[in-house]
Amino acid sequence: MTSATRSVDVAIIGAGTAGLYALREVRKRGCSAVLIDHGPLGTTCARVGCMPSKAALHVAHLWNAARTATHCGFPAPAAGSEPDLTAAWAEVRRKRDFFADRTAERTRQFAGDDLIMGSARFIAPHAVKVARDDGEKVIVEAKAFVLAVGSRPFLPPNLMSINATRLLTTDSLFEIDTPPRRIGVVGLGAIGIEMGLALSRLGVDVVGVEQAPTLAGISDPEVRAKALARFQREFPIRLETAATFEERAADILIRFPDRSQAVVDALLVATGRRSNLDRVDLPAAGVTLNPRGFPERFDPETLQAGGAPIFIAGDANGLLPLMHEAAVEGGAAGRNAALVAKGETPLPRKVLPPLAIVFSDPDVVRVGARFADLDPEAIVIGTGKGEENGRSRVLDETETLVRVYAEKGSGKLLGAELVAAQGEHLGHFLAQAIARGETVRDLLALPYYHPTVEELLQSALLDAASKVK
Amino acid sequence: MTSATRSVDVAIIGAGTAGLYALREVRKRGCSAVLIDHGPLGTTCARVGCMPSKAALHVAHLWNAARTATHCGFPAPAAGSEPDLTAAWAEVRRKRDFFADRTAERTRQFAGDDLIMGSARFIAPHAVKVARDDGEKVIVEAKAFVLAVGSRPFLPPNLMSINATRLLTTDSLFEIDTPPRRIGVVGLGAIGIEMGLALSRLGVDVVGVEQAPTLAGISDPEVRAKALARFQREFPIRLETAATFEERAADILIRFPDRSQAVVDALLVATGRRSNLDRVDLPAAGVTLNPRGFPERFDPETLQAGGAPIFIAGDANGLLPLMHEAAVEGGAAGRNAALVAKGETPLPRKVLPPLAIVFSDPDVVRVGARFADLDPEAIVIGTGKGEENGRSRVLDETETLVRVYAEKGSGKLLGAELVAAQGEHLGHFLAQAIARGETVRDLLALPYYHPTVEELLQSALLDAASKVK
């Protein structure tokens, strides 16, 4: 069987966020391109990530507010009437479909004739073979490649024995009609905490299990303790547990080392994601892989793999699996692929101030340097507490804590970790300040409107400023 | 009758936000002080301003969310059951009482023996007479004075004929048990819009009347149009109308020039506030007043009145009646009063970047230079639209608009006006950027997490950056 051949300057594999930003940069430099994707189109973010999770959190927030409103004079539901989880989930999926469909449509419009639907694998350093969805094969030859192949949920070995029908991931969670009535959330990083809270607020019995000694990526022990106490009020959370999972006829039994147990109908597995790089046969392109399946040589500045004309962006490179980072990395990878296609030298990418947000309401935020990475002797810590913040009291969210880290002596703001209502916005405010090398004292010359959660920052900055010298 | 005399370095009249910040600064400089207040203690902000309005908006938000939740599977109220506005208002007042009582208690603790409860009037350039609440009189002699006497609601002449029992202001609104079923809100600045929306969302029939051609302090015509359309969906708003108000036996008839009418039970008058300076007899201190009742000479930098050792801070000086400005002004006035008491020269106050927030959800925000104060030839405008912002779609708040103004050529960010969900936080983010003289292009090198409303700013900044040169 012969294959058609198509030759371009740059081939981009993966039409997610990173791939689309790469395509834009390649075109901007006047290079020809193809964008290859096995479908379904619509980006991880729109289909299974940021957007459906935020839709679920929003509906859960509305339910939560409806429950609270009865204490403020809004009439209670009719006696005997039950919340309709199926209707809630239909609303989540309706929003998800809107975002996914729109993203897919925009991808098609933007890529136009440059889009090939199919799966690509390297067959030579400058060629991939694409098994097209229509059954045809096509060889794509390119001077440079962007691998934006994304990632897939990782299933830990201790869950391998559970029947797949009882294992949900974010890939499947938004496809089902109704979430199970009882669910174990395994892994309490951003996704596990967000979905654990959303499901719990929608009336699902949730048990959270995390084998690491922290949750939501928090490294500051005081913020962790506050977040743990806050979220434990909504569903039981077990940290550092060597839990075992046993499938039974009608359910799953979770056993904890202290002999306590939980029974659930299914597990939501949120134990991280694995790069899809293993699916493109990088060795066929002459790139040597390490035992973890990543290129032995990878330059995080240029995103170049093994000295080859291959650039890896987004979730696939295992750096920071965040949508805004994927966009920046995709743009840089596309630009560098175009430069290499023109015989020029790749450039380092723009580095953003680190910002990680868990939309848990109260949100968990890390920005700048992590507490765990700082020398306790070299910093001062400023604290802002929800109990002392008027807006947090209005919102009935006082079980919150902001901790900012500043350099001893100079007072330069280095980072912060926090759990706070509307904390996502405090993260953006602090990222700007950290990027600009602001001191805590200088930041106090800005307006902190009253009553806002930004006053939590003001309190923390005042506290830090008093300790700097 | 003889009066006791008390001599101090600095006498502060008014124990609101400005007065308390003044006291702190006076003490910090080792000066003796008295703080005089006629009560009730508790600050305008805590008693009748920022806090009760935010409590009302929060309860209204919960009701609104409860209504929306029924579309997402949360059970509807029992048939025939009615929302209980009295219970809602009780919750608002419960929160208000907490804030007011706590503020009053903290004031007493902080001021200690330096607090005199009573009304003060100048009787000489260096002396005020205080009519104490217990009936005693005391003369307070001081080397310098801080006047932080606050303001009171202003009643426009065309409402003078209406019986006072039918006229509510924010002074009385949070004292009543149940808001009227039908209310006309007269004046649609920050307070009128906030309370109009809160009451409307709590089921009150609201009609908003504003004689100025704008609302919520917006100067940008496109933002105004968007905000007007958005808020008109919640209650009828009449701008630029020469409305007349006629009290009848059981109600008030509002007539509009186009012959349309509205019938309400009461009016909430939110037509601005008037300084209480007229109550301290400044001429007796040798300060000459202008026809508006303000000192003929007043230095907004040092807050000094008429060259006298008198400093005016907070609402009383008619500059920016905002709590965070009152705090900064109070501190500056206290510091300058202490300096003058010690024979030193007063200093200019710290000037904050202008930031005005209406917590209308979607919020209305002005930050930096107002659109109306900019030369259209000298700026470019960048736009961010709610329809194109994923988070706004999740929140069902797409009828929103962000407009940023940047200097042509340099791209320096000058200001912004916006109506946006969670806009209060965008205001803080932009205030930091404007204070630091950031350009729109440099701001694009910051992280904009997905999906957030901060991406509205990113869109607006991108748009502006594309037009700068």
Short mmCIF file of all heavy atoms in Angstrom, two decimals, chain A residues 56 59-60 63 67 81-93 168 173 176-183 195-206 265, chain B residues 69-75:
data_model
loop_
_atom_site.label_atom_id
_atom_site.label_comp_id
_atom_site.label_asym_id
_atom_site.label_seq_id
_atom_site.Cartn_x
_atom_site.Cartn_y
_atom_site.Cartn_z
N ALA A 56 -19.34 22.34 36.90
CA ALA A 56 -19.82 21.52 38.03
C ALA A 56 -19.72 22.30 39.33
O ALA A 56 -20.64 22.28 40.16
CB ALA A 56 -19.01 20.23 38.11
N VAL A 59 -22.61 24.92 39.48
CA VAL A 59 -23.91 24.33 39.84
C VAL A 59 -23.91 23.93 41.31
O VAL A 59 -24.89 24.16 42.04
CB VAL A 59 -24.24 23.13 38.92
CG1 VAL A 59 -25.49 22.40 39.41
CG2 VAL A 59 -24.43 23.59 37.48
N ALA A 60 -22.80 23.37 41.77
CA ALA A 60 -22.69 23.00 43.19
C ALA A 60 -22.78 24.24 44.08
O ALA A 60 -23.40 24.20 45.15
CB ALA A 60 -21.38 22.26 43.44
N TRP A 63 -26.44 25.19 44.37
CA TRP A 63 -27.14 24.32 45.33
C TRP A 63 -26.80 24.71 46.75
O TRP A 63 -27.67 24.78 47.63
CB TRP A 63 -26.74 22.85 45.10
CG TRP A 63 -27.49 22.17 43.99
CD1 TRP A 63 -27.90 22.72 42.82
CD2 TRP A 63 -27.90 20.80 43.98
NE1 TRP A 63 -28.53 21.77 42.07
CE2 TRP A 63 -28.54 20.59 42.75
CE3 TRP A 63 -27.76 19.74 44.87
CZ2 TRP A 63 -29.06 19.34 42.38
CZ3 TRP A 63 -28.27 18.50 44.50
CH2 TRP A 63 -28.92 18.30 43.28
N ARG A 67 -29.36 26.15 49.66
CA ARG A 67 -29.52 25.61 51.03
C ARG A 67 -29.37 26.73 52.05
O ARG A 67 -30.12 26.82 53.01
CB ARG A 67 -28.47 24.53 51.29
CG ARG A 67 -28.78 23.23 50.58
CD ARG A 67 -27.90 22.09 51.11
NE ARG A 67 -27.96 20.98 50.17
CZ ARG A 67 -27.06 20.78 49.21
NH1 ARG A 67 -26.03 21.58 49.07
NH2 ARG A 67 -27.20 19.76 48.39
N SER A 81 -39.54 16.55 48.40
CA SER A 81 -38.88 16.70 47.10
C SER A 81 -37.38 16.53 47.27
O SER A 81 -36.80 16.93 48.28
CB SER A 81 -39.20 18.05 46.48
OG SER A 81 -38.64 19.09 47.25
N GLU A 82 -36.76 15.92 46.30
CA GLU A 82 -35.33 15.60 46.38
C GLU A 82 -34.57 16.41 45.33
O GLU A 82 -35.08 16.60 44.22
CB GLU A 82 -35.11 14.11 46.08
CG GLU A 82 -35.48 13.17 47.20
CD GLU A 82 -34.53 13.27 48.38
OE1 GLU A 82 -33.31 13.36 48.14
OE2 GLU A 82 -35.01 13.27 49.52
N PRO A 83 -33.37 16.83 45.65
CA PRO A 83 -32.54 17.42 44.60
C PRO A 83 -32.34 16.42 43.46
O PRO A 83 -32.26 15.21 43.70
CB PRO A 83 -31.22 17.70 45.31
CG PRO A 83 -31.56 17.80 46.76
CD PRO A 83 -32.70 16.83 46.96
N ASP A 84 -32.28 16.90 42.27
CA ASP A 84 -32.20 16.05 41.09
C ASP A 84 -30.79 16.12 40.51
O ASP A 84 -30.44 17.02 39.75
CB ASP A 84 -33.24 16.51 40.06
CG ASP A 84 -33.27 15.60 38.84
OD1 ASP A 84 -32.34 14.79 38.67
OD2 ASP A 84 -34.23 15.73 38.06
N LEU A 85 -29.98 15.16 40.91
CA LEU A 85 -28.58 15.16 40.51
C LEU A 85 -28.42 14.99 39.00
O LEU A 85 -27.49 15.52 38.39
CB LEU A 85 -27.85 14.03 41.26
CG LEU A 85 -26.34 13.93 41.11
CD1 LEU A 85 -25.64 15.24 41.45
CD2 LEU A 85 -25.81 12.82 42.02
N THR A 86 -29.35 14.26 38.41
CA THR A 86 -29.30 14.06 36.96
C THR A 86 -29.50 15.40 36.23
O THR A 86 -28.81 15.70 35.26
CB THR A 86 -30.37 13.05 36.51
OG1 THR A 86 -30.21 11.86 37.29
CG2 THR A 86 -30.24 12.72 35.05
N ALA A 87 -30.43 16.19 36.74
CA ALA A 87 -30.66 17.50 36.13
C ALA A 87 -29.44 18.40 36.32
O ALA A 87 -29.05 19.16 35.42
CB ALA A 87 -31.90 18.15 36.75
N ALA A 88 -28.84 18.31 37.51
CA ALA A 88 -27.64 19.11 37.76
C ALA A 88 -26.54 18.73 36.78
O ALA A 88 -25.87 19.59 36.20
CB ALA A 88 -27.16 18.90 39.20
N TRP A 89 -26.38 17.43 36.60
CA TRP A 89 -25.30 16.97 35.74
C TRP A 89 -25.59 17.29 34.27
O TRP A 89 -24.67 17.54 33.49
CB TRP A 89 -25.05 15.48 35.96
CG TRP A 89 -23.60 15.13 35.88
CD1 TRP A 89 -23.01 14.29 34.99
CD2 TRP A 89 -22.55 15.65 36.71
NE1 TRP A 89 -21.65 14.24 35.21
CE2 TRP A 89 -21.34 15.06 36.25
CE3 TRP A 89 -22.50 16.54 37.78
CZ2 TRP A 89 -20.11 15.35 36.84
CZ3 TRP A 89 -21.29 16.82 38.36
CH2 TRP A 89 -20.11 16.23 37.89
N ALA A 90 -26.87 17.29 33.93
CA ALA A 90 -27.25 17.67 32.56
C ALA A 90 -26.86 19.13 32.30
O ALA A 90 -26.39 19.48 31.21
CB ALA A 90 -28.75 17.48 32.36
N GLU A 91 -27.04 19.98 33.31
CA GLU A 91 -26.66 21.38 33.17
C GLU A 91 -25.14 21.51 33.01
O GLU A 91 -24.65 22.28 32.19
CB GLU A 91 -27.15 22.17 34.39
CG GLU A 91 -26.62 23.59 34.53
CD GLU A 91 -27.17 24.56 33.47
OE1 GLU A 91 -28.10 24.17 32.75
OE2 GLU A 91 -26.64 25.68 33.37
N VAL A 92 -24.41 20.72 33.79
CA VAL A 92 -22.94 20.72 33.68
C VAL A 92 -22.55 20.30 32.26
O VAL A 92 -21.71 20.94 31.61
CB VAL A 92 -22.31 19.76 34.71
CG1 VAL A 92 -20.82 19.58 34.44
CG2 VAL A 92 -22.56 20.28 36.13
N ARG A 93 -23.19 19.20 31.77
CA ARG A 93 -22.80 18.71 30.44
C ARG A 93 -23.25 19.65 29.34
O ARG A 93 -22.60 19.79 28.31
CB ARG A 93 -23.33 17.29 30.24
CG ARG A 93 -22.45 16.29 31.03
CD ARG A 93 -22.85 14.86 30.78
NE ARG A 93 -24.20 14.66 31.24
CZ ARG A 93 -25.19 14.18 30.52
NH1 ARG A 93 -24.96 13.83 29.27
NH2 ARG A 93 -26.38 14.03 31.03
N LEU A 168 -14.00 5.91 37.50
CA LEU A 168 -14.22 7.12 36.71
C LEU A 168 -12.94 7.94 36.69
O LEU A 168 -12.16 7.92 37.65
CB LEU A 168 -15.33 7.97 37.33
CG LEU A 168 -16.73 7.39 37.27
CD1 LEU A 168 -17.64 8.12 38.25
CD2 LEU A 168 -17.27 7.52 35.84
N LEU A 173 -16.10 11.20 33.63
CA LEU A 173 -17.03 11.78 34.60
C LEU A 173 -18.11 12.64 33.94
O LEU A 173 -19.28 12.62 34.35
CB LEU A 173 -16.25 12.61 35.63
CG LEU A 173 -17.05 13.30 36.72
CD1 LEU A 173 -17.74 12.29 37.62
CD2 LEU A 173 -16.16 14.22 37.56
N ILE A 176 -21.13 10.60 31.88
CA ILE A 176 -22.21 9.83 32.49
C ILE A 176 -23.42 10.72 32.72
O ILE A 176 -23.33 11.94 32.77
CB ILE A 176 -21.76 9.19 33.81
CG1 ILE A 176 -21.31 10.26 34.81
CG2 ILE A 176 -20.63 8.18 33.56
CD1 ILE A 176 -20.85 9.69 36.15
N ASP A 177 -24.59 10.07 32.85
CA ASP A 177 -25.82 10.83 33.05
C ASP A 177 -25.97 11.30 34.49
O ASP A 177 -26.44 12.41 34.74
CB ASP A 177 -27.04 9.96 32.69
CG ASP A 177 -27.18 9.80 31.19
OD1 ASP A 177 -26.70 10.69 30.46
OD2 ASP A 177 -27.74 8.79 30.75
N THR A 178 -25.60 10.44 35.42
CA THR A 178 -25.77 10.76 36.83
C THR A 178 -24.56 10.25 37.60
O THR A 178 -24.22 9.07 37.48
CB THR A 178 -27.03 10.07 37.41
OG1 THR A 178 -28.13 10.33 36.53
CG2 THR A 178 -27.35 10.60 38.79
N PRO A 179 -23.91 11.09 38.37
CA PRO A 179 -22.82 10.59 39.21
C PRO A 179 -23.34 9.55 40.20
O PRO A 179 -24.52 9.60 40.60
CB PRO A 179 -22.33 11.86 39.93
CG PRO A 179 -22.77 12.99 39.06
CD PRO A 179 -24.07 12.55 38.46
N PRO A 180 -22.48 8.61 40.61
CA PRO A 180 -22.89 7.61 41.60
C PRO A 180 -23.29 8.28 42.90
O PRO A 180 -22.83 9.39 43.20
CB PRO A 180 -21.63 6.77 41.81
CG PRO A 180 -20.65 7.20 40.78
CD PRO A 180 -21.08 8.48 40.19
N ARG A 181 -24.12 7.61 43.68
CA ARG A 181 -24.60 8.19 44.94
C ARG A 181 -23.50 8.25 45.99
O ARG A 181 -23.48 9.14 46.83
CB ARG A 181 -25.77 7.35 45.49
CG ARG A 181 -26.88 8.17 46.13
CD ARG A 181 -27.90 7.31 46.83
NE ARG A 181 -27.30 6.42 47.81
CZ ARG A 181 -26.78 6.82 49.00
NH1 ARG A 181 -26.80 8.09 49.32
NH2 ARG A 181 -26.25 5.95 49.84
N ARG A 182 -22.57 7.26 45.92
CA ARG A 182 -21.43 7.24 46.86
C ARG A 182 -20.16 7.11 46.05
O ARG A 182 -20.05 6.21 45.20
CB ARG A 182 -21.55 6.04 47.81
CG ARG A 182 -22.84 6.02 48.62
CD ARG A 182 -22.99 4.70 49.36
NE ARG A 182 -23.00 3.56 48.42
CZ ARG A 182 -23.12 2.28 48.78
NH1 ARG A 182 -23.23 1.96 50.07
NH2 ARG A 182 -23.13 1.32 47.88
N ILE A 183 -19.20 7.97 46.29
CA ILE A 183 -17.99 7.94 45.46
C ILE A 183 -16.74 8.10 46.33
O ILE A 183 -16.75 8.86 47.31
CB ILE A 183 -18.07 9.02 44.36
CG1 ILE A 183 -17.13 8.69 43.19
CG2 ILE A 183 -17.76 10.40 44.90
CD1 ILE A 183 -17.45 9.46 41.92
N MET A 195 -13.42 18.31 42.37
CA MET A 195 -14.55 17.44 42.06
C MET A 195 -15.13 16.81 43.32
O MET A 195 -16.34 16.57 43.40
CB MET A 195 -14.13 16.38 41.03
CG MET A 195 -13.89 16.95 39.64
SD MET A 195 -15.37 17.78 38.95
CE MET A 195 -15.06 19.47 39.46
N GLY A 196 -14.29 16.54 44.32
CA GLY A 196 -14.81 16.05 45.59
C GLY A 196 -15.79 17.04 46.19
O GLY A 196 -16.89 16.68 46.62
N LEU A 197 -15.42 18.32 46.19
CA LEU A 197 -16.29 19.35 46.75
C LEU A 197 -17.54 19.53 45.90
O LEU A 197 -18.65 19.62 46.43
CB LEU A 197 -15.53 20.67 46.87
CG LEU A 197 -14.51 20.71 48.01
CD1 LEU A 197 -13.56 21.88 47.85
CD2 LEU A 197 -15.23 20.79 49.36
N ALA A 198 -17.38 19.55 44.58
CA ALA A 198 -18.54 19.76 43.71
C ALA A 198 -19.55 18.63 43.93
O ALA A 198 -20.75 18.88 44.14
CB ALA A 198 -18.11 19.83 42.25
N LEU A 199 -19.07 17.39 43.91
CA LEU A 199 -19.99 16.26 44.06
C LEU A 199 -20.61 16.25 45.45
O LEU A 199 -21.82 16.02 45.60
CB LEU A 199 -19.24 14.95 43.78
CG LEU A 199 -18.82 14.78 42.31
CD1 LEU A 199 -17.81 13.63 42.17
CD2 LEU A 199 -20.04 14.54 41.42
N SER A 200 -19.80 16.53 46.46
CA SER A 200 -20.32 16.55 47.82
C SER A 200 -21.41 17.62 47.97
O SER A 200 -22.45 17.39 48.58
CB SER A 200 -19.15 16.80 48.77
OG SER A 200 -19.64 17.06 50.07
N ARG A 201 -21.17 18.79 47.39
CA ARG A 201 -22.16 19.87 47.49
C ARG A 201 -23.42 19.55 46.69
O ARG A 201 -24.48 20.13 46.92
CB ARG A 201 -21.54 21.19 47.01
CG ARG A 201 -20.54 21.72 48.03
CD ARG A 201 -19.66 22.83 47.49
NE ARG A 201 -18.61 23.16 48.49
CZ ARG A 201 -17.64 24.02 48.29
NH1 ARG A 201 -17.55 24.67 47.14
NH2 ARG A 201 -16.75 24.25 49.24
N LEU A 202 -23.29 18.62 45.74
CA LEU A 202 -24.46 18.17 44.98
C LEU A 202 -25.11 16.95 45.63
O LEU A 202 -25.96 16.29 45.03
CB LEU A 202 -24.05 17.85 43.54
CG LEU A 202 -23.69 19.07 42.68
CD1 LEU A 202 -23.10 18.65 41.34
CD2 LEU A 202 -24.93 19.95 42.46
N GLY A 203 -24.72 16.64 46.85
CA GLY A 203 -25.42 15.60 47.59
C GLY A 203 -24.83 14.20 47.47
O GLY A 203 -25.37 13.26 48.04
N VAL A 204 -23.73 14.06 46.73
CA VAL A 204 -23.08 12.75 46.63
C VAL A 204 -22.31 12.51 47.93
O VAL A 204 -21.71 13.42 48.48
CB VAL A 204 -22.12 12.71 45.42
CG1 VAL A 204 -21.28 11.44 45.40
CG2 VAL A 204 -22.90 12.88 44.12
N ASP A 205 -22.33 11.26 48.45
CA ASP A 205 -21.50 10.91 49.60
C ASP A 205 -20.08 10.71 49.10
O ASP A 205 -19.81 9.76 48.36
CB ASP A 205 -21.99 9.61 50.25
CG ASP A 205 -23.15 9.86 51.19
OD1 ASP A 205 -23.32 11.01 51.63
OD2 ASP A 205 -23.91 8.91 51.44
N VAL A 206 -19.18 11.57 49.50
CA VAL A 206 -17.81 11.54 49.00
C VAL A 206 -16.86 11.13 50.13
O VAL A 206 -17.00 11.59 51.26
CB VAL A 206 -17.40 12.93 48.45
CG1 VAL A 206 -15.93 12.95 48.06
CG2 VAL A 206 -18.28 13.31 47.27
N ASP A 265 -19.84 3.39 45.61
CA ASP A 265 -20.31 2.74 44.39
C ASP A 265 -19.25 2.77 43.29
O ASP A 265 -19.25 1.92 42.40
CB ASP A 265 -21.58 3.44 43.88
CG ASP A 265 -22.68 3.41 44.92
OD1 ASP A 265 -22.94 2.32 45.48
OD2 ASP A 265 -23.24 4.48 45.23
N ALA B 69 -30.90 27.81 41.08
CA ALA B 69 -30.60 26.41 41.37
C ALA B 69 -31.73 25.48 40.95
O ALA B 69 -31.50 24.32 40.65
CB ALA B 69 -30.29 26.24 42.85
N THR B 70 -32.96 25.98 40.92
CA THR B 70 -34.07 25.12 40.51
C THR B 70 -33.94 24.72 39.04
O THR B 70 -34.43 23.68 38.63
CB THR B 70 -35.44 25.79 40.73
OG1 THR B 70 -35.52 26.95 39.90
CG2 THR B 70 -35.62 26.18 42.19
N HIS B 71 -33.25 25.53 38.25
CA HIS B 71 -33.00 25.14 36.85
C HIS B 71 -31.90 24.09 36.76
O HIS B 71 -31.66 23.53 35.69
CB HIS B 71 -32.59 26.36 36.02
CG HIS B 71 -33.62 27.44 36.01
ND1 HIS B 71 -34.89 27.25 35.54
CD2 HIS B 71 -33.57 28.72 36.45
CE1 HIS B 71 -35.58 28.36 35.67
NE2 HIS B 71 -34.81 29.27 36.23
N CYS B 72 -31.21 23.86 37.84
CA CYS B 72 -30.09 22.92 37.87
C CYS B 72 -30.40 21.74 38.77
O CYS B 72 -29.48 21.10 39.29
CB CYS B 72 -28.83 23.60 38.36
SG CYS B 72 -28.39 25.10 37.48
N GLY B 73 -31.68 21.47 39.00
CA GLY B 73 -32.03 20.26 39.72
C GLY B 73 -32.26 20.42 41.20
O GLY B 73 -32.59 19.45 41.87
N PHE B 74 -32.10 21.63 41.73
CA PHE B 74 -32.41 21.81 43.15
C PHE B 74 -33.91 22.01 43.28
O PHE B 74 -34.51 22.72 42.50
CB PHE B 74 -31.64 22.98 43.74
CG PHE B 74 -31.59 22.96 45.24
CD1 PHE B 74 -30.68 22.13 45.88
CD2 PHE B 74 -32.44 23.73 46.01
CE1 PHE B 74 -30.63 22.07 47.27
CE2 PHE B 74 -32.39 23.69 47.40
CZ PHE B 74 -31.48 22.86 48.03
N PRO B 75 -34.55 21.34 44.28
CA PRO B 75 -36.02 21.37 44.33
C PRO B 75 -36.57 22.78 44.51
O PRO B 75 -35.98 23.61 45.21
CB PRO B 75 -36.37 20.49 45.53
CG PRO B 75 -35.11 20.14 46.19
CD PRO B 75 -33.96 20.50 45.32
#
